Amino acid sequence: MTDHGRGMTMVLAAAVCFGLCPLFAGLAMSDGVSPVTATVARFSIPLAFLLPWFRLRRGDGGEALRMAALGAVNGIGVLLYFRALDAVPAATVVTIYYTYPAFAAAVGWALFGRRPTARGLVAVALVIVGAAVGLGPERLSSGAVGAIAGAFVAPLAFSLIIHYLAAPWRPMPLLARVTSCLLGTLLALVPLALHDVAPGVETPSLAAAGALLALGVLTALLP
């Protein structure tokens, strides 16, 4: 297999693993795990694996802080995404997440000066039409509006990260960049997780623990 073929195989495998995120998050939360615990598990497992190799060069501090800030925004977005998964049908929430191409076009144009091409605008229009069909008023209950609104933070945060990684302000080794992002994510989430812990909370079942492990390894670390 050529380098191109191996690269495409890895991209496809990563996409499949990433796409399993709602499945394992839903399994964990259906077994009593809170959305914030599921979010912390998803990001702490890859961080624990990468942290021993984390090194910053002289001059990397500013870039590390920017990546940590993006990670914090992404962590809050994923938390709201998981809370929506816990409140409304998964198909609705996944539809929201995959509006990120439209967000990417808007963020790129508004914040990074990247005008979308005509073909890109057509793609955005198709995304919006598809989301409108999938999120019609008949699918929304009054109690789900808040959860659905919060779920839109995740594709917005993902779009910010995509654009910044495409053209960062300063060069930085990829491993240090990813680890800085994960550190920012956990710094934002851990206070929420500590607030979420209440006396008498039961230890997750074996099935829930397995779902959390898969959430961290299959949907985050491997991709």
Side-chain angles (χ1 to χ4, degrees):
M1 184 181 291
T2 64
D3 286 344
H4 177 75
R6 281 192 292 270
M8 288 302 299
T9 300
M10 292 172 71
V11 168
L12 290 172
V16 170
C17 290
F18 187 78
L20 294 174
C21 183
L23 170 64
F24 291 118
L27 288 173
M29 291 186 294
S30 68
D31 212 20
V33 173
S34 70
V36 68
T37 300
T39 312
V40 168
R42 182 169 190 261
F43 292 106
S44 60
I45 290 173
L47 177 62
F49 182 84
L50 295 176
L51 203 54
W53 291 276
F54 180 51
R55 300 289 185 276
L56 289 179
R57 308 169 305 181
R58 179 174 296 181
D60 279 346
E63 191 66 17
L65 287 175
R66 284 187 285 273
M67 289 305 306
L70 286 172
V73 174
N74 187 53
I76 298 301
V78 173
L79 171 59
L80 293 174
Y81 175 58
F82 283 0
R83 282 182 172 170
L85 280 174
D86 201 33
V88 298
T92 300
V93 184
V94 171
T95 298
I96 292 171
Y97 192 84
Y98 284 99
T99 60
Y100 75 81
F103 280 96
V107 167
W109 196 348
L111 300 183
F112 295 88
R114 298 169 184 160
R115 291 177 62 90
T117 63
R119 184 167 57 183
L121 289 174
V122 170
V124 166
L126 291 174
V127 168
I128 293 172
V129 169
V133 171
L135 300 174
E138 69 279 0
R139 293 177 181 266
L140 306 182
S141 64
S142 58
V145 173
I148 288 174
F152 279 100
V153 178
L156 174 60
F158 192 48
S159 301
L160 286 168
I161 289 178
I162 287 173
H163 278 287
Y164 189 74
L165 289 179
W169 286 2
R170 290 178 57 89
M172 186 180 186
L174 180 61
L175 181 61
R177 188 177 294 282
V178 172
T179 308
S180 298
C181 189
L182 289 169
L183 281 169
T185 302
L186 266 296
L187 286 173
L189 292 175
V190 165
L192 298 175
L194 292 175
H195 183 268
D196 193 57
V197 174
V201 172
E202 297 181 1
T203 303
S205 68
L206 188 60
L212 292 176
L213 182 63
L215 192 62
V217 175
L218 290 180
T219 77
L221 177 60
L222 288 181

